Amino acid sequence: ESRDWSSDVCAADLGVRLRIASPEPGFEHGEILANGPNVFAGYLNLPEASRNAFIEDGFFRTGDLGYMADGLLYVVGRRSATIVLSGGENIRPDYVEEVLGAGASIKEVGVLQHNDGLAALVVPEATAKESLPDLRERVGKDLRLHARRLPTHHRIGSYRLTLDPLPKTRLGKLRRHELKQRYEQAGSEGEHWGEQRGPLPLDRWSAEERAILEHPAASQAWQWLCKRFSDERLAPDTDIQHELSVDSMQWVTLTLELREQTGADLSAEAIGRIESVRDLLQAVAESGQAEQAVTPEDLVERLRHRPHELLQEEQRRWLAPRTIGSRWAGEGLFKITRLIAPRLWKLEVRGMEHLPAEGPYVLTPNHLSLLDAPLLAASLPPWHLANTYWAGWSGIMFRNVAMRWLSRAMRVIPVDPAHGALSNLALGVSVLQRGNNLIWFPEASRSADGRLQRFQPGVGMLVLAGHAPVVPVRIQGTYEALPRGHRWPRRHTVRITIGKVVTSQQLAGESSDGPPHERIANALRNRVAQLGDG
């Protein structure tokens, strides 16, 4: 086999040498070869595999393609991933995927060889009620638009849609050898698009992923997820935060429900590492089991009598008194908000007489937009704000130094999944037990369509443990002013309706189905809904 060794380079200090082999037919670049103490000696008890991995003088075949110029090594892609068409065209699928994946309607794209041409398997950014023809039209426009940036021989000839995440390894690398089968499956399922929702069939999971479900707790967790997110396409690679819209507020409820359903006691460290459904199932399988005798009522008692034991040191700092400068800054920001907001939006505030004369109490507004908190602050009297904390999602209000300073000044406390469900609830309970009011958004995340969402049961535990009355609040108009996914607000009338004070006992007594904290959450949602009826 003819090779060109003129491109040898040597890192003398490390004893590492690199070579570029002569390009094989159909390839523009040669394979990168390496020799040195950093390279393994061979496969254990696999002499044939070792012979294939090394050339005669001990250089290892890395499988990467590249070239050298001006003493630098350039890696252009994997040899095994390169597609060579019958006409000799050399295609780097990762480059095509990067270009086509820039489309707004495209979540993922995998490029493969099909009928001596290029094809793509596309995972679209689909909405729940969008039909297949409408989705195809959106995706097709994006593909045609971005394909203009590609050379002619890099453009795809066909594509198919799937709701299933593309198959990947644990390191996030695309399993290209599975794309052909997935592409064929997508073609046969095209006439049954609606049936692609729901859990991914287990026969499409990798053997490694199916092995996780052999653990009883992980299997229970998967069954619970399928019921909890029955309208979503659940797969091991499903991103919990972005695809299931689970933010730090919702993690409070999810971890409590997981504990109740599976007995899994997820640590704060484990929760902080979870990104995908696979990560969650693995964490459940590896977690210690919670005490079986622990009930929601037991957790409420623990939150009520020993919340300080559940707080982390970082959380305690957010409860410490503000400095004079921070207090003045917070008061100034609230004044500016009350001054500017009525000039940009027409605010209609009703039921102000229902606010208690003294606290502590919990305000539970619905959540439509990023405008909810500032416009609610602009509507409340200064004497109320002076003794009020706000529960805020760590992903927005604490993402950098400036936002953390702003949150501190305005008495926003972080709800962070890395702290664990009980710790987040304990932080809210501590605020109430210190005599302060608390604003808590029971829906946990902003509404995607402007409609009232399910109230998370965690608010029931918070109210029971904090032993504080509740003031339901209905916000209307902020969704039209700044809906989820939009950057710039527009003018619109915003109505804020404050309901009558209600106790946890009254809320729990409005239904007999389920434990008290769930009854409270459901009854509270009904009261907030009624405020919107006028």
Side-chain angles (χ1 to χ4, degrees):
E1 186 177 7
S2 174
R3 295 183 181 275
D4 174 17
W5 306 126
S6 60
S7 54
D8 271 25
V9 296
C10 178
D13 294 340
L14 300 177
V16 176
R17 288 195 298 164
L18 298 176
R19 288 177 177 174
I20 305 296
S22 298
E24 298 178 16
F27 288 84
E28 179 182 357
H29 301 286
E31 184 175 7
I32 301 171
L33 308 174
N35 177 270
N38 61 314
V39 178
F40 77 139
Y43 294 97
L44 181 64
N45 298 326
L46 295 173
E48 184 65 26
S50 296
R51 282 193 294 271
N52 293 333
F54 292 84
I55 63 173
E56 293 180 358
D57 55 353
F59 274 78
F60 172 59
R61 305 180 64 171
T62 66
D64 291 315
L65 299 176
Y67 64 95
M68 294 181 186
D70 300 326
L72 298 177
L73 173 67
Y74 294 84
V75 182
V76 298
R78 293 288 294 172
R79 178 180 179 276
S80 60
T82 302
I83 298 174
V84 182
L85 302 179
S86 60
E89 298 93 341
N90 187 282
I91 308 297
R92 285 174 45 205
D94 54 340
Y95 167 62
V96 180
E97 290 159 358
E98 181 182 354
V99 173
L100 298 182
S105 64
I106 298 173
K107 183 184 299 183
E108 290 184 285
V109 59
V111 173
L112 67 152
Q113 187 172 356
H114 181 70
N115 293 338
D116 198 30
L118 295 181
L121 184 62
V122 178
V123 182
E125 291 282 4
T127 59
K129 298 182 180 180
E130 191 167 18
S131 66
L132 178 57
D134 291 342
L135 193 56
R136 266 194 162 277
E137 183 179 358
R138 280 203 304 122
V139 171
K141 286 181 180 179
D142 267 346
L143 291 176
R144 289 190 294 272
L145 174 64
H146 291 277
R148 298 173 185 170
R149 298 165 48 195
L150 294 168
T152 304
H153 61 283
H154 277 64
R155 298 179 184 179
I156 62 172
S158 61
Y159 71 93
R160 290 176 181 172
L161 302 181
T162 178
L163 289 180
D164 298 338
L166 298 183
K168 299 185 185 69
T169 66
R170 286 188 61 83
L171 297 178
K173 300 289 186 180
L174 192 61
R175 290 196 183 105
R176 295 193 177 277
H177 63 280
E178 297 183 21
L179 282 181
K180 182 177 180 180
Q181 180 184 3
R182 290 290 188 90
Y183 188 81
E184 299 299 334
Q185 289 171 342
S188 64
E189 292 173 349
E191 299 177 359
H192 309 283
W193 180 253
E195 297 177 10
Q196 290 194 42
R197 299 197 178 276
L200 179 70
L202 296 184
D203 59 4
R204 298 193 195 174
W205 292 35
S206 68
E208 180 185 7
E209 291 164 347
R210 287 196 297 270
I212 301 176
L213 295 184
E214 294 178 3
H215 192 286
S219 179
Q220 290 177 339
W222 170 247
Q223 295 171 16
W224 171 77
L225 283 170
C226 292
K227 293 179 182 178
R228 182 70 169 75
F229 299 98
S230 58
D231 293 335
E232 303 289 344
R233 184 54 159 179
L234 280 181
D237 288 318
T238 300
D239 189 296
I240 292 178
Q241 177 180 338
H242 298 102
E243 296 182 55
L244 300 183
S245 300
V246 175
D247 59 22
S248 55
M249 300 286 283
Q250 287 177 310
W251 264 114
V252 173
T253 298
L254 290 182
T255 49
L256 288 173
E257 290 182 4
L258 266 176
R259 178 176 178 143
E260 186 175 347
Q261 294 291 327
T262 69
D265 191 12
L266 297 181
S267 66
E269 181 184 2
I271 293 172
R273 294 196 304 266
I274 294 173
E275 295 181 358
S276 66
V277 168
R278 182 195 298 106
D279 297 336
L280 177 59
L281 297 178
Q282 188 68 48
V284 169
E286 296 174 353
S287 71
Q289 297 298 296
E291 304 170 51
Q292 297 301 313
V294 173
T295 66
E297 289 75 15
D298 296 328
L299 296 177
V300 168
E301 286 301 306
R302 187 179 178 189
L303 285 167
R304 178 180 296 164
H305 298 294
R306 300 193 304 276
H308 58 282
E309 296 179 359
L310 300 169
L311 295 178
Q312 300 181 20
E313 185 59 36
E314 178 186 353
Q315 291 175 304
R316 293 190 178 95
R317 288 198 292 269
W318 289 99
L319 295 174
R322 294 174 296 175
T323 62
I324 295 178
S326 180
R327 187 172 69 250
W328 285 354
E331 292 174 357
L333 289 169
F334 280 127
K335 288 180 180 178
I336 293 173
T337 302
R338 287 196 297 273
L339 180 65
I340 294 178
R343 287 167 170 77
L344 297 179
W345 295 276
K346 182 181 178 182
L347 284 176
E348 297 179 0
V349 183
R350 303 178 179 182
M352 191 69 72
E353 68 277 6
H354 296 149
L355 283 177
E358 57 184 18
Y361 51 89
V362 183
L363 263 73
T364 56
N366 60 309
H367 203 4
L368 298 170
S369 166
L370 292 176
L371 293 175
D372 292 339
L375 293 186
L376 182 58
S379 306
L380 297 173
W383 59 264
H384 172 91
L385 292 174
N387 298 301
T388 298
Y389 281 79
W390 305 70
W393 176 34
S394 59
I396 293 179
M397 294 304 299
F398 301 85
R399 59 189 174 190
N400 54 47
V401 174
M403 292 300 292
R404 286 194 292 272
W405 177 87
L406 181 68
S407 298
R408 176 68 172 162
M410 304 184 78
R411 303 182 86 172
V412 182
I413 56 174
V415 178
D416 191 336
H419 292 155
L422 288 179
S423 291
N424 285 306
L425 289 175
L427 186 58
V429 171
S430 298
V431 167
L432 296 171
Q433 290 184 348
R434 294 176 181 222
N436 295 292
N437 310 317
L438 177 65
I439 296 178
W440 186 279
F441 291 93
E443 293 168 296
S445 61
R446 287 167 286 156
S447 175
D449 56 10
R451 292 182 293 182
L452 196 63
Q453 305 173 87
R454 172 179 180 261
F455 276 22
Q456 304 294 329
V459 71
M461 285 192 168
L462 173 72
V463 171
L464 285 170
H467 201 62
V470 186
V471 181
V473 178
R474 181 69 183 267
I475 301 175
Q476 295 171 284
T478 53
Y479 177 80
E480 290 77 10
L482 182 62
R484 187 171 178 171
H486 289 240
R487 289 188 176 184
W488 303 107
R490 50 180 177 262
R491 292 177 178 273
H492 197 278
T493 299
V494 174
R495 177 184 298 169
I496 297 177
T497 307
I498 301 172
K500 295 180 180 179
V501 179
V502 60
T503 65
S504 58
Q505 291 81 3
Q506 290 174 307
L507 291 169
E510 293 182 8
S511 172
S512 58
D513 297 330
H517 67 287
E518 291 186 1
R519 300 203 303 268
I520 290 173
N522 293 334
L524 190 55
R525 182 190 182 280
N526 292 336
R527 287 181 176 256
V528 172
Q530 291 170 5
L531 293 176
D533 295 335

